[in-house]
Amino acid sequence: MTARHVMALRNALWGPDILVAPGVYDALTGVLVEQSGFHCAYVSGANIAYSQLGRPDIGLMGLREIADQIAKIAGRIKIPLVVDGDNGHGNALSVIRTVKEYERAGAAAIQLEDQALPKRCGHLKGKALVSADEMVGKLRAALDARDDMLIIARCDAIAVEGFEAAIERAERYVEAGADMLFVEAPEN
């Protein structure tokens, strides 16, 4: 089922139209997004933390809890899921497990960020980053671990190191093989 979703996601991403992926956090919100005519959904780690714990996105949700939510959503809808993989829940070895678990649960794409532990929502202050070298290692681990899913490299460096440093990091992530980039919080 995931291979079909990955192909549908690839086709939508490289098609002529802008792809909108509303955030979901459970099967009901997934159904609402699908019934509204969207072609994919984004499983938001922040939204899962808010809805499950009533807490902000500060790394409290574990890999297993999120994988379980992905499986519940994917089991109910037919559109592809892009999933927030946080920072892979640790080092490169943790990234391998995260990719395998999320892909098994039904994710068509995973977004991995370059934040250090403890991670924070990208919109919150006080973020710290892993080195660009460590993130490249995590991305290579993700690429090796996946069967078919897309790997999205998220760069949170603008708030910490500035715009130019973020672009340098993003270029390294593309060179490492990331399928897509998400540079967090550009101002213009």
Side-chain angles (χ1 to χ4, degrees), residues 2-84:
T2 301
R4 178 175 51 85
H5 287 135
V6 172
M7 183 57 66
L9 182 58
R10 284 182 193 275
N11 290 340
L13 286 168
W14 283 275
D17 298 321
I18 293 173
L19 181 63
V20 177
V24 302
Y25 51 89
D26 63 9
L28 176 60
T29 56
V31 168
L32 294 173
V33 164
E34 182 178 54
Q35 288 179 349
S36 295
F38 291 96
H39 299 288
C40 76
Y42 180 80
V43 180
S44 164
N47 286 343
I48 292 174
Y50 298 145
S51 67
Q52 298 293 308
L53 302 176
R55 302 274 183 207
D57 185 18
I58 53 174
L60 299 174
M61 296 300 296
L63 180 152
R64 183 78 264 137
E65 294 165 302
I66 296 172
D68 288 346
Q69 281 298 99
I70 296 165
K72 290 172 187 172
I73 299 165
R76 183 61 180 89
I77 64 175
K78 293 179 176 57
I79 59 176
L81 295 174
V82 177
V83 176
D84 180 358

